[in-house]
């Protein structure tokens, strides 16, 4: 491992994660290729792997578990719960109940071939949920040693505030990029003040910041998306490429602990490693990027 690699604590926990996390949702069905990519990532300094019981109806967890089983102590495994597949496989329903979480964790542990999870996350959440019951389930699992830490995956400020008030979450996974700056309005500062880690997903805005043809994204027109992409591209040559610039914009925020990047190919893995191995963006470049478009704000769930 190279010295430039950066690792951070997850919230106030003793779970230590690489600044770039391997988002396993993108993995394909070729088990051999998945095994190769996951092991390559570890060899190159990525120690944090994020999956969910929802992905590929549990097959994603199986793939991750198989590849990481022999080196379990060296890696941080995160998975998610709350979306329950219907028996006929036609879709899933939201179920954040204590009973369901306690039942679902056993299946995730089995598929991941491990007896504990480093991070267990609620895969969504609304104000109508039995929030205290959900928290009870996570606290119980922690006492039992089945999980080291827990968090939520949510972009809703009103839900995030409730969990900050009522629970000991160590992380919130949320979408955050140069084209989705809604978290900057209140969530990032609030989470930083409470020493809760932000795990940023969607930093490349569906690839729009890394070379994909511009289209409407959230409240931005294709022309505005093109403008943001051009600003990122202009800084790419000296910063390890467009993807690196887009992700480093997100990582420079002190609330953000790690960027979760979907990795399916060796090229994408090398891009991720490049981000870990190159210095952060200078402040003036962060400022330049932040001035390209007016930041968007949450319209709902405030």
């Amino acid at each position: 491992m190279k010295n430039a690699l950066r690792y951070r604590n997850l919230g106030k926990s003793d779970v230590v994660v690489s600044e770039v996390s391997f988002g396993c949702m993108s993995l394909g069905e070729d088990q051999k290729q998945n095994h190769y990519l996951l092991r390559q990532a570890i060899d190159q300094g990525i120690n944090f792997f994020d999956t969910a019981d929802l992905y590929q109806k549990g097959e994603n967890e199986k793939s991750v578990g198989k590849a990481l089983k022999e080196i379990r102590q060296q890696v941080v495994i995160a998975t998610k719960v709350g979306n329950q597949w219907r028996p006929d496989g036609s879709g899933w329903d939201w179920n954040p109940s204590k009973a369901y979480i306690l039942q679902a964790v056993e299946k995730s542990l089995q598929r991941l071939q491990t007896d504990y999870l480093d991070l267990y996350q609620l895969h969504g959440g609304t104000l109508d949920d039995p929030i205290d019951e959900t928290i009870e389930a996570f606290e119980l699992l922690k006492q039992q040693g089945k999980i080291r830490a827990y968090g939520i995956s949510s972009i809703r400020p009103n839900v995030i505030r409730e969990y900050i008030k009522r629970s000991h979450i160590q992380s919130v996974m949320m979408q955050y990029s140069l084209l989705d700056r809604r978290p900057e309005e209140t969530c990032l500062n609030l989470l930083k003040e409470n020493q809760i880690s932000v795990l940023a997903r969607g930093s490349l805005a569906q690839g729009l910041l890394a070379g994909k043809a511009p289209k409407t994204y959230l409240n931005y027109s294709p022309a505005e998306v093109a403008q943001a992409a051009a600003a990122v591209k202009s800084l790419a040559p000296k910063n390890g490429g467009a993807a690196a610039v887009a992700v480093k914009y997100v990582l420079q925020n002190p609330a953000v602990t790690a960027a979760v990047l979907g990795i399916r190919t060796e090229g994408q893995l090398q891009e991720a490693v490049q981000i870990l191995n190159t210095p952060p963006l200078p402040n003036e470049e962060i400022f330049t990027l932040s001035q390209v478009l007016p930041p968007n704000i949450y319209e709902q769930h405030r």
Side-chain angles (χ1 to χ4, degrees):
M1 287 188 198
K2 298 171 188 170
N3 297 331
L5 297 179
R6 291 179 294 273
Y7 298 87
R8 303 176 181 184
N9 278 71
L10 193 68
K12 297 180 205 140
S13 77
D14 58 357
V15 179
V16 177
V17 300
S18 49
E19 264 188 355
V20 171
S21 154
F22 194 126
C24 301
M25 182 173 103
S26 304
L27 288 172
E29 286 173 22
D30 181 340
Q31 298 301 323
K32 212 171 160 188
Q33 169 75 349
N34 292 350
H35 189 280
Y36 172 77
L37 286 173
L38 291 160
R39 295 300 280 263
Q40 274 292 308
I42 296 156
D43 290 346
Q44 298 185 64
I46 294 174
N47 78 335
F48 184 23
F49 299 85
D50 177 76
T51 178
D53 58 2
L54 184 70
Y55 306 156
Q56 298 155 314
K57 298 188 178 171
E59 291 302 314
N60 197 278
E61 284 183 329
K62 283 185 190 170
S63 197
V64 172
K66 198 173 171 189
L68 303 183
K69 186 186 176 184
E70 292 162 27
I71 44 168
R72 177 66 185 97
Q73 300 305 313
Q74 297 170 39
V75 297
V76 173
I77 296 178
T79 191
K80 308 183 198 77
V81 65
N83 294 298
Q84 184 174 16
W85 279 103
R86 294 183 196 127
D88 64 2
S90 64
W92 61 85
D93 299 302
W94 180 238
N95 187 352
S97 70
K98 182 176 177 179
Y100 176 65
I101 292 169
L102 296 179
Q103 169 200 327
V105 74
E106 299 301 335
K107 293 178 179 167
S108 282
L109 289 169
Q110 208 174 348
R111 288 189 290 261
L112 285 160
Q113 298 190 50
T114 180
D115 51 8
Y116 70 97
L117 300 169
D118 298 285
L119 176 65
Y120 203 28
Q121 302 159 100
L122 185 68
H123 204 171
T126 74
L127 287 183
D128 300 327
D129 292 348
I131 293 175
D132 290 326
E133 188 186 309
T134 302
I135 293 165
E136 265 176 41
F138 285 121
E139 287 291 347
L140 179 61
L141 291 173
K142 226 182 137 195
Q143 283 164 26
Q144 292 172 343
K146 289 178 182 170
I147 65 173
R148 291 173 67 195
Y150 66 93
I152 61 171
S153 175
S154 176
I155 59 169
R156 300 178 171 196
N158 56 8
V159 171
I160 290 167
R161 277 194 294 272
E162 286 308 308
Y163 276 89
I164 291 175
K165 262 189 280 188
R166 302 194 212 177
S167 77
H168 298 106
I169 55 169
Q170 301 294 352
S171 64
V172 175
M173 183 177 286
M174 61 172 71
Q175 184 168 292
Y176 177 40
S177 74
L178 193 55
L179 288 173
D180 185 357
R181 291 171 60 192
R182 295 174 297 176
E184 289 179 0
E185 192 188 358
T186 59
C187 286
L188 296 182
N189 284 342
L190 183 63
L191 290 162
K192 183 170 188 316
E193 278 163 25
N194 287 278
Q195 291 174 272
I196 295 167
S197 285
V198 172
L199 304 176
R201 60 177 178 81
S203 316
L204 301 179
Q206 297 172 356
L208 296 171
L209 293 170
K212 279 208 176 154
K215 61 172 187 175
T216 303
Y217 189 82
L218 296 176
N219 59 320
Y220 295 125
S221 67
E224 288 172 313
V225 167
Q227 214 179 327
V232 166
K233 194 178 176 183
S234 71
L235 300 175
K238 56 178 176 176
N239 286 299
V245 173
V247 174
K248 286 178 191 181
Y249 173 80
V250 164
L251 282 173
Q252 59 78 34
N253 190 293
V256 176
T257 295
V260 182
L261 303 183
I263 297 172
R264 183 193 280 267
T265 66
E266 200 160 354
Q268 288 167 342
L269 175 60
Q270 289 321 314
E271 274 183 350
V273 171
Q274 175 87 348
I275 296 160
L276 267 183
N277 279 317
T278 50
L281 292 178
N283 288 339
E284 60 274 19
E285 294 186 358
I286 298 287
F287 180 74
T288 302
L289 290 172
S290 73
Q291 298 304 299
V292 176
L293 297 173
N296 30 22
I297 58 172
Y298 285 112
E299 303 294 336
Q300 298 169 303
H301 312 296
R302 292 174 68 85

